Amino acid sequence: MKSISLKIITFISICLFFCSCGNGEDSKILQEFSKLNPKTQEFFNANAKVQCNCLKENKGILDKLMKDSKALVNEIKSKKINNQDNIVQKQIQSEIYPILAKYNDCNAAAPQPNPETFRIIENDLKTFSGASVPGGASDNKMPNLGNALMSKHCKDLHQLAVQLTELSIVISPGYSN
């Protein structure tokens, strides 16, 4: 169970970066992104491509998951049920987590930077958005960048990614509407 929880937390982190709804400023954010170190650009583009491939590879089960969990998500969002109730947690753990874990396992193939490249990325992100580590942000630039990269690399699967992010947020332990 601990392994699945860790995988889900990792998945949510990936989604929060790559699947945010954005604000339609894709070209502006990509232009700013193009000024970063090529190693930083390579890292984020490679990770977006891995996520796109994972969406494509798991599209059937993810589409079914989104369809099957729509009522649950709506009930949690409308506060008709609480995502921390025992019955809801059992449903999440038995029906949703296994599929998200499989998808997350696919995303685990995303390249990880070596220590030198990590420092370059870290420094770029500090100037780009005030972030201190990849994925962190003090404003909306990182979610907007993630949105722009997903749109750039797999526009046809972008909406599925957005839906997965919403599901992940709604079932997360810290969710409050």
Side-chain angles (χ1 to χ4, degrees):
M1 185 62 181
K2 184 177 181 182
S3 171
I4 289 177
S5 296
L6 183 58
K7 289 178 181 181
I8 298 305
I9 290 169
T10 303
F11 169 76
I12 290 170
S13 299
I14 292 169
C15 282
L16 289 175
F17 172 74
F18 283 112
C19 309
S20 299
C21 294
N23 61 8
E25 296 184 13
D26 287 359
S27 61
K28 180 180 174 187
I29 201 84
L30 288 175
Q31 183 178 23
E32 193 172 341
F33 177 69
S34 72
K35 296 175 185 173
L36 299 179
N37 186 294
K39 288 186 179 195
T40 300
Q41 293 177 50
E42 181 181 319
F43 171 77
F44 283 105
N45 278 310
N47 277 278
K49 289 176 184 177
V50 167
Q51 188 178 13
C52 289
N53 287 333
C54 291
L55 286 168
K56 187 175 193 176
E57 183 179 309
N58 293 283
K59 185 176 183 332
I61 61 169
L62 294 173
D63 281 338
K64 183 175 179 352
L65 172 65
M66 297 315 304
K67 181 181 174 189
D68 294 348
S69 63
K70 185 173 183 149
L72 177 70
V73 168
N74 289 337
E75 288 181 4
I76 293 171
K77 287 171 64 176
S78 69
K79 297 186 178 189
K80 290 181 181 175
I81 59 174
N82 184 316
N83 70 354
Q84 295 303 302
D85 290 342
N86 284 337
I87 294 172
V88 176
Q89 275 300 303
K90 285 180 183 177
Q91 182 180 359
I92 290 170
Q93 290 174 9
S94 68
E95 298 173 17
I96 297 174
Y97 281 177
I99 295 169
L100 293 182
K102 181 179 179 187
Y103 173 66
N104 191 56
D105 285 345
C106 180
N107 281 306
Q112 297 301 310
N114 63 42
E116 179 186 329
T117 302
F118 182 85
R119 283 188 290 281
I120 292 169
I121 294 168
E122 185 177 42
N123 288 332
D124 273 351
L125 294 181
K126 284 178 183 176
T127 59
F128 182 72
S129 68
S132 59
V133 296
S138 60
D139 58 18
N140 289 325
K141 280 189 175 179
M142 292 309 294
N144 291 344
L145 174 61
N147 183 63
L149 291 174
M150 288 298 292
S151 292
K152 174 183 173 184
H153 294 295
C154 58
K155 193 168 197 79
D156 59 324
L157 297 170
H158 181 256
Q159 189 56 41
L160 177 59
V162 170
Q163 292 170 346
L164 283 168
T165 298
E166 179 184 30
L167 171 65
S168 299
I169 291 168
V170 169
I171 65 170
S172 70
Y175 177 77
S176 62
N177 189 2

